[in-house]
Amino acid sequence: TWVTVVPVEDAAAVHAVLRTAGRNRATAATHCNERSSRSHSICTIRIRASNEETGQSLCGALNLVDLAGSERLKTSNASGDLLKQTQSINRSLACLGDVIAAIAEKQPHVPFRNSKLTYLLKNYLSGGAKVLMLVTVSPAAAHLPESTCSLRFAQKVSVCEVGTVRRGAA
């Protein structure tokens, strides 16, 4: 797992870090996509602000999560390392679906530890955070099965309530 912490002081530095992360992201050509992401990407921006007059300090975090898309093994024709990557991506997305389902059904146990992805997102999916999910789908008829699968996943997420946002002072 690649985890890098980079302190930044301004928006320009944040943009530079995001550009570097984008260049480091592994991609490969498959039959489904000529530039297929071979990993998920999570960028956490921690923000601390203080009011000099009152002395109050607040902190927050903005998580930008770009999930690698699921690919059907039959249509991707992946083999070797690409096959292992595809299986790993699909497994972690299935684990995320299990977590979303457990939260939506208000189950007493949510399986956050079933994947690195869900474990990293635990604090944000356990309540106390606002979560927004964007889904990108292809308009091409050839990609209808994958687009339908993505939209079904988005529907599952849309009925999930992660709790009330709590304001925390640092």
Side-chain angles (χ1 to χ4, degrees):
T1 303
W2 259 41
V3 176
T4 305
V5 176
V6 181
V8 294
E9 296 294 325
D10 56 31
V14 171
H15 287 286
V17 169
L18 291 174
R19 280 192 300 276
T20 300
R23 283 192 302 270
N24 289 339
R25 183 111 186 246
T27 60
T30 69
H31 283 245
C32 294
N33 188 345
E34 68 183 44
R35 278 192 53 228
S36 177
S37 297
R38 306 317 301 160
S39 62
H40 305 306
S41 176
I42 301 174
C43 176
T44 301
I45 301 171
R46 292 190 195 321
I47 302 165
R48 182 177 303 272
S50 58
N51 183 325
E52 292 178 7
E53 291 179 20
T54 65
Q56 182 182 22
S57 125
L58 297 172
C59 61
L62 172 65
N63 289 282
L64 305 172
V65 180
D66 185 0
L67 299 175
S70 66
E71 292 181 352
R72 296 175 195 273
L73 293 174
K74 272 186 190 176
T75 54
S76 73
N77 286 335
S79 61
D81 285 344
L82 286 181
L83 174 65
K84 289 177 187 174
Q85 290 169 351
T86 301
Q87 290 170 327
S88 181
I89 290 165
N90 290 347
R91 192 175 316 110
S92 67
L93 290 172
C95 289
L96 180 58
D98 293 343
V99 164
I100 297 292
I103 292 169
E105 295 167 9
K106 300 186 182 345
Q107 293 179 0
H109 172 72
V110 179
F112 287 112
R113 291 184 174 263
N114 288 359
S115 80
K116 289 179 186 178
L117 174 67
T118 55
Y119 184 74
L120 289 171
L121 297 177
K122 178 182 179 182
N123 291 339
Y124 310 105
L125 296 176
S126 296
K130 288 187 180 184
V131 178
L132 172 67
M133 180 177 174
L134 303 174
V135 177
T136 305
V137 295
S138 171
H143 300 139
L144 184 62
E146 281 75 20
S147 294
T148 302
C149 184
S150 295
L151 291 171
R152 284 192 184 120
F153 183 77
Q155 174 147 22
K156 187 193 283 191
V157 171
S158 74
V159 298
C160 181
E161 293 181 25
V162 295
T164 305
V165 176
R166 295 179 301 270
R167 185 176 183 179

